[in-house]
Amino acid sequence: MSGHMTPDEFRRYGRQVVDWIADYQERIESYPVLSRARPGEVLEALPEHPPERGEGFEAVLADLDRVIMPGITHWQHPGFYAYFPANASGPAILGDLLSAGLGVQGMLWATSPACTELETRVTDWLAELLGLPAAFRAAGAGGGVIQDSASSAALVAILAALHRADGGAAGRDGIARRHTLYVSSQTHSSLEKAARIAGIGAANVRIVDVDPATLAMDPARLDAMIAEDAAAGALPVLVCATVGTTSTTAVDPVAAIGEVCGRHGVWLHVDAAYAGVAAVCPELRWINDGLDGHADSYATNPHKWLLTNFDCNVLWVADRAPLVGALSILPEYLRNRASESGEVVDYRDWQISLGRRFRALKLWSVIRWYGAEGLREHVRTGVRLADELASWVRGDEAFELLEHHPFGLVCFRPRWDGLPDGEADAATLRLMDRLNASGDLYLSHTKVNGRVLLRVAIGAPATTAEHVRKTWQRIREEAAALA
Ligand SMILES: *Cc1c(COP(=O)(O)O)cnc(C)c1O
């Protein structure tokens, strides 16, 4: 077999692949949620050398079942609670397939006008669905753009903030003096990584204290640190506030932080990678408090809890000028009349790489399939199941609960009565390992004020009340057996 796959062959294998995916969706509970592959097992099962002659697609499908599936951890499994969900959905998978089918690379408006204009429309739609400030809409000075991840969104925000802070000097001449960023101990690690990449340096990422009870950033400490650093000759560039931290879904006081930023002229980036999409529900829209008039950039991941297959982050800016100022670059071969007319957007100037996938198709498919109503229902189900689990944990004397759980994440641990702290932590980790080895569920852990807690992140479309009930029963039984 060699030569290109004909449209007829594509039809035949394409049907097989779609059937394979539908079968997978039906059978997902029959797999152990956490892969049992040992390190190197998949690698060893794969031939060391590529084929000289084409092998045909049946062989690929056969190896998918034989070699790849045992090495898969099933993120769509109803018992997958370890990390924030990476929801897949039918409409998103099909939207992604259409994107692959078109094979468009949307670096410029001119390289596929629909790729750009659909993205402008769906990022506006999402801003409306989430009730985000009007400044983030494309009709004003700002706008939204799809990035591959919240990590890239943070890096892009930092580069835009740098550009605004020093008028483009760092981009042109390199960073000449000390620049500082402000995060909390709960901020996602991607901010430190972005600081390293941007040349600001990890040592200049200043860690603002959190309130030990809420784990939210202390705006008064932030204010003092910015003032100290500026007085010492540093250039404060950006503050990252988080709505829904990765460890415990803590929520920073965005309005108070925003006022501090406004006073000092520092860029406010809000990282709502996981929780931001919850604002599709009016009862959760309080998470947007303080964005309006304060946030220079805001990022959330439809690829976590909003049914849109990885990867799909949306970054909005209130003013696109510093973003485009930081990232626009124009070699001769990209010059074109549409760009020069100023009438079009070229999203390559809003991201790190030049090339870009047509990701708007899958987000468009998801929003149209579910409608605002369906999206709300999905988020509400996750919140309701988390509430239920939390109420069972609260009602059980053998367990202690972290009371803050506004979204789908619940953190708790057995009390391990009588055990000193260190041994209690070891017991909690032993419990987690036993549960994860069972094949029915997959949890993770975090550390809050020095104590290990289990994290149960609910939000897969397949997870029902019955699954959560069985999960809780399982946790109680295993904990009792270990106590
Ligand atoms: C998941 C998460 C990130 C990282 O998201 P990526 O899209 O994987 O880069 C950043 N911040 C928070 C708060 C997160 O929960």
Side-chain angles (χ1 to χ4, degrees):
M1 166 109 31
S2 59
H4 301 301
M5 189 181 278
T6 63
D8 267 337
E9 288 167 327
F10 181 80
R11 236 175 236 118
R12 188 162 83 242
Y13 295 123
R15 288 190 178 117
Q16 285 180 31
V17 166
V18 169
D19 279 341
W20 188 97
I21 296 170
D23 290 346
Y24 175 64
Q25 291 172 340
E26 284 175 345
R27 281 198 309 244
I28 188 138
E29 282 190 66
S30 67
Y31 295 95
V33 51
L34 178 61
S35 169
R36 291 174 171 155
R38 53 170 177 76
E41 193 173 331
V42 175
L43 189 61
E44 282 160 24
L46 295 165
E48 213 172 317
H49 303 288
E52 177 61 25
R53 306 190 52 198
E55 296 177 271
F57 205 73
E58 281 94 353
V60 174
L61 285 176
D63 283 352
L64 182 68
D65 287 323
R66 189 178 62 84
V67 181
I68 303 300
M69 290 311 280
I72 293 293
T73 288
H74 301 278
W75 282 68
Q76 309 309 317
H77 193 291
F80 184 98
Y81 307 113
Y83 303 104
F84 290 143
N87 285 174
S89 72
I93 296 166
L94 295 176
D96 231 359
L97 181 60
L98 289 170
S99 168
L102 288 171
V104 156
Q105 202 275 59
M107 58 187 175
L108 301 168
W109 177 88
T111 61
S112 250
C115 180
T116 293
E117 294 187 13
L118 182 64
E119 186 160 329
T120 303
R121 184 58 79 212
V122 295
T123 54
D124 265 2
W125 275 9
L126 191 61
E128 180 179 325
L129 285 167
L130 303 183
L132 295 177
F136 292 151
R137 309 287 175 85
V145 57
I146 300 180
Q147 306 276 337
D148 56 1
S149 64
S151 306
S152 296
L155 176 56
V156 163
I158 288 172
L159 296 171
L162 257 176
H163 187 87
R164 192 180 78 177
D166 68 8
R172 193 177 51 245
D173 309 321
I175 292 180
R177 64 168 159 136
R178 183 167 179 240
H179 288 50
T180 47
L181 301 185
Y182 301 82
V183 304
S184 83
S185 57
Q186 306 298 305
T187 302
H188 193 267
S189 55
S190 53
L191 268 289
E192 182 185 321
K193 195 174 191 176
R196 287 198 227 164
I197 296 168
I200 286 172
N204 296 317
V205 178
R206 307 276 278 136
I207 301 185
V208 183
D209 293 339
V210 295
D211 176 326
T214 61
L215 302 176
M217 187 188 282
D218 176 353
R221 261 317 280 153
L222 172 69
D223 195 13
M225 283 171 90
I226 294 177
E228 279 163 30
D229 292 343
L235 180 60
V237 171
L238 173 143
V239 175
C240 178
T242 307
V243 172
T245 59
T246 312
S247 169
T248 63
T249 62
V251 178
D252 287 334
V254 174
I257 291 171
E259 274 164 33
V260 173
C261 290
R263 246 192 333 274
H264 295 278
V266 178
W267 185 288
L268 175 60
H269 176 66
V270 178
D271 176 7
Y274 160 67
V277 301
V280 72
C281 301
E283 69 275 21
L284 289 165
R285 206 156 279 172
W286 56 267
I287 65 174
N288 294 342
D289 286 355
L291 292 179
D292 204 1
H294 291 308
D296 295 292
S297 51
Y298 181 84
T300 191
N301 282 347
H303 73 222
K304 278 181 170 163
W305 200 8
L306 206 69
L307 301 159
T308 309
N309 286 54
F310 193 87
D311 50 0
C312 184
N313 163 278
V314 181
L315 168 70
W316 288 274
V317 289
D319 180 4
R320 53 188 179 263
L323 175 60
V324 173
L327 297 178
S328 160
I329 193 159
L330 192 63
E332 188 55 34
Y333 48 80
L334 293 177
R335 286 187 185 278
N336 68 92
R337 216 173 292 132
S339 297
E340 276 156 25
S341 76
E343 287 177 309
V344 303
V345 172
D346 291 321
Y347 281 124
R348 70 185 177 115
D349 295 337
W350 298 48
Q351 63 174 24
I352 305 299
S353 54
L354 171 62
R356 58 202 324 274
R357 304 176 55 214
F358 195 169
R359 294 191 188 89
L361 270 177
K362 63 185 165 188
L363 186 55
W364 189 49
S365 306
V366 165
I367 295 174
R368 293 186 67 181
W369 176 267
Y370 287 94
E373 220 175 60
L375 298 175
R376 275 183 219 121
E377 181 52 34
H378 171 61
V379 167
R380 279 183 185 140
T381 300
V383 172
R384 182 165 43 77
L385 297 182
D387 275 344
E388 249 163 42
L389 174 62
S391 73
W392 295 327
V393 176
R394 191 184 298 114
D396 189 322
E397 286 175 359
F399 285 81
E400 65 184 53
L401 170 72
L402 187 76
E403 279 295 343
H404 170 91
H405 59 85
F407 311 112
L409 177 72
V410 186
C411 301
F412 59 92
R413 66 165 212 170
R415 288 188 195 279
W416 305 117
D417 272 338
L419 283 189
D421 263 1
E423 283 172 48
D425 286 349
T428 304
L429 291 172
R430 211 156 46 238
L431 169 63
M432 181 180 78
D433 288 342
R434 280 177 60 146
L435 291 164
N436 290 349
S438 75
D440 300 331
L441 63 159
Y442 179 25
L443 319 179
S444 63
H445 76 281
T446 188
K447 218 169 204 182
V448 175
N449 298 323
R451 294 151 73 96
V452 171
L453 299 181
L454 299 175
R455 286 173 85 253
V456 176
I458 297 170
T463 307
T464 64
E466 185 55 17
H467 292 111
V468 177
R469 197 188 58 74
K470 281 192 182 145
T471 294
W472 171 235
Q473 200 178 331
R474 191 60 179 270
I475 294 171
R476 285 179 72 188
E477 284 167 9
E478 291 283 348
L482 277 175

